[in-house]
Amino acid sequence: MAFVRACDLSELEEDTPKRVELDGTPVSVVHTEGEVFAIHDICSHANVSLSEGEVEDCQIECWLHGSAFDLRTGKPSGLPATRPVPVYPVKIEGGDVLVDVHASPSQES
């Protein structure tokens, strides 16, 4: 796995997505429910940044059309989105949030 630094853990506010670009991949990093998640930052329904949406119940909501995606699986919980978005492995080392965007993205159908 090729983990790269996304940000410092202290930069993440609870339930507030942070957009980063890692090796050309837009990623939304979210600290919620005691864990840190990394999800592809572009909604699968429209070309909209998920990091501009709200986080609740371990889901991130697309601000434009209201589809929410599970931060653990990338699976949408409702229309209009029908396809999941990739989620990426995350680890914390010495206060750094590391994400592997080159791992086979985890998706559930």
Side-chain angles (χ1 to χ4, degrees):
M1 291 190 169
F3 284 91
V4 294
R5 185 180 186 280
C7 62
D8 192 278
L9 183 60
S10 67
E11 294 175 46
L12 299 177
E13 294 180 38
E14 184 78 13
D15 296 329
T16 302
K18 178 177 182 62
R19 185 183 195 281
V20 296
E21 191 158 318
L22 304 173
D23 293 338
T25 302
V27 177
S28 182
V29 180
V30 180
H31 183 242
T32 188
E33 299 184 7
E35 294 185 61
V36 178
F37 300 93
I39 190 167
H40 193 73
D41 191 46
I42 305 301
C43 178
S44 63
H45 169 255
N47 190 22
V48 175
S49 176
L50 292 176
S51 62
E52 295 177 27
E54 295 183 9
V55 173
E56 187 175 340
D57 296 328
C58 211
Q59 295 186 67
I60 188 167
E61 183 180 53
C62 177
W63 63 269
L64 186 59
H65 295 115
S67 288
F69 298 88
D70 189 300
L71 291 168
R72 298 167 292 234
T73 66
K75 186 176 178 181
S77 63
L79 298 173
T82 58
R83 293 174 316 187
V85 294
V87 293
Y88 305 104
V90 174
K91 66 181 179 179
I92 310 298
E93 285 186 357
D96 288 331
V97 177
L98 306 174
V99 177
D100 185 357
V101 294
H102 298 293
S104 296
S106 174
Q107 294 181 337
E108 283 190 8
S109 302

